[in-house]
Structures are given as structure tokens and as C-alpha cells.
Amino acid sequence: MKRYLPVVILTCTLGFAADPPEQAKRGEALFALKSASGYSCTTCHQVGGQGTAVGPDLKTIARLHPRAVVMAILATRTQAVIEISPKGGKPFPAMKAGGDDYFDLSANPPAKRTLTAAEIRKTQDNGDWKHPPESRGLTKDQLADLIAYMRFACFGDTKGVDLADIPNPTH
Ligand code: HEC
């Protein structure tokens, strides 16, 4: 493609303000799209100013190899989610939100609840919470689109994601 000098300078200076490539644009739309179960990625994650940060910040993981990101998106086991049994209440899957605050992941959108240690009867790893995209039937193309968007929005990557780097989803 023919490039004129002013365009190159503009692109370099603007960096993140460059237009996203098609793959990242599709990923951006998919990131905000609700699945049949009523969740979108934006329900729990924030990328490029879009969405609510309940789950982990995706900046760090966006730099990893696409294979690792796919594994995280489709993982059934979780590290950060715990099951909390409040005294006199129903157990719920939660993610710590700082201090005595937890996000109750059984609500959609997740709701913030404040529970002091004295109000918690028991916590245990995982419980039976599953990361919603695990059962969403995402295709290889959709996974590549999502990762391309995360990379573009988090560090201005415009190279995109090669489908050969995406493992076959096993669902
Ligand atoms: C109901 C809330 C919720 C929704 C919806 C959701 N996630 Fe997550 N996500 C989480 C939580 C909580 C974790 C942390 C899981 C853990 O490690 O315990 C997580 C973890 C991740 C991770 C790994 C992050 C890391 O640093 O290890 C990625 C990548 C990710 N989600 C991407 C997505 C994408 C893409 C979508 C949409 C297709 C999505 N998530 C939808 C809550 C959600």
C-alpha cells in the first residue's frame, strides 16, 4: 500500500488513536454483545474504556501468546473466584473487590456486597462458578477477533492475531 509521509507521522504520533484493524473492530463489537445467557464480556471486564471492571484487568494477559489467552477465556477452573457462604444466607460465587467488598457473580450484572469476616461463615476455592464464555460456543475466528481487540485497545497493536495461533476450542 502506498503511504504518504504525513500519514505515517500522524499514525505514529497518534498511536492508540489509529483506526482499529477490521479484526479488532469485530472483536470490539463481540466484546459488548450479550450471549444467550445474558452476559457480554463488558458485564465483567473493562478494555479500552469499554465495560465494567469486575474480573481481572485484561491488560497483562493481552500481551501473552494467543494460546494462553484462549485458555483463560475458555477455562472452567478459576483462581480468583471464591464461594462465600454468608451467615444465614445462600452461598454465592464472588470476586474480591477490595476491603470487605465482594462482587456477587451470581447476579447479572454482578452486584457489590459488603461482608466483614464475622459475617462470612465459610469460603472455599472455586465453588461451581464457571467463566460464562466457557459455554458460549465461541469459534476460532471469534476468539482471534476478541484477542485482536484486547491487543489493540490495551497496547495499540495493529498486527492482529493469526488464526494459526488459536487452538481449536474444545466445547
Ligand atoms: C460474569 C462475569 C464475567 C464475564 C461475563 C466474562 N468474564 Fe472473563 N473473567 C471473569 C472473572 C471473575 C475472571 C477471573 C477468573 C479467575 O481466574 O478466577 C475472568 C478471567 C478472564 C480472563 C483471564 C484474565 C487473567 O488475567 O487471568 C480473560 C482473558 C477473560 N476473562 C476474558 C473474557 C472475555 C473475552 C469475555 C467475553 C467473551 C469474558 N471474559 C466474560 C468474569 C467474567
Side-chain angles (χ1 to χ4, degrees):
M1 199 180 75
K2 205 168 177 183
R3 278 210 181 272
Y4 298 99
L5 189 61
V7 176
V8 174
I9 291 171
L10 199 67
T11 313
C12 295
T13 315
L14 293 180
F16 282 47
D19 275 349
E22 287 306 314
Q23 196 184 33
K25 268 193 212 154
R26 289 195 302 270
E28 180 174 20
L30 183 58
F31 199 77
L33 186 75
K34 274 192 183 157
S35 69
S37 58
Y39 288 106
S40 64
C41 314
T42 52
T43 310
C44 303
H45 295 287
Q46 198 175 48
V47 166
Q50 185 189 203
T52 318
V54 170
D57 187 342
L58 301 183
K59 270 201 192 82
T60 317
I61 195 154
R63 289 193 181 271
L64 300 185
H65 191 277
R67 185 171 290 274
V69 188
V70 168
M71 278 175 62
I73 295 175
L74 301 181
T76 48
R77 278 188 55 84
T78 57
Q79 289 168 346
V81 177
I82 51 169
E83 186 181 76
I84 293 184
S85 302
K87 279 192 180 138
K90 265 192 8 211
F92 65 95
M95 169 123 180
K96 222 172 173 12
D100 292 333
D101 290 342
Y102 297 88
F103 285 109
D104 177 349
L105 297 172
S106 68
N108 183 5
K112 212 180 231 183
R113 290 171 64 162
T114 305
L115 286 176
T116 60
E119 293 166 297
I120 295 173
R121 189 162 48 93
K122 181 166 79 131
T123 64
Q124 73 180 58
D125 292 349
N126 288 305
D128 48 19
W129 186 79
K130 291 208 170 73
H131 193 219
E134 170 265 340
S135 57
R136 190 170 170 161
L138 292 167
T139 64
K140 268 175 97 153
D141 291 276
Q142 289 178 319
L143 287 162
D145 292 353
L146 283 169
I147 298 170
Y149 168 59
M150 282 161 52
R151 290 179 159 209
F152 177 77
C154 294
F155 56 93
D157 174 87
T158 52
K159 288 198 301 289
V161 174
D162 191 340
L163 271 188
D165 285 337
I166 304 286
N168 284 318
T170 51
H171 42 226

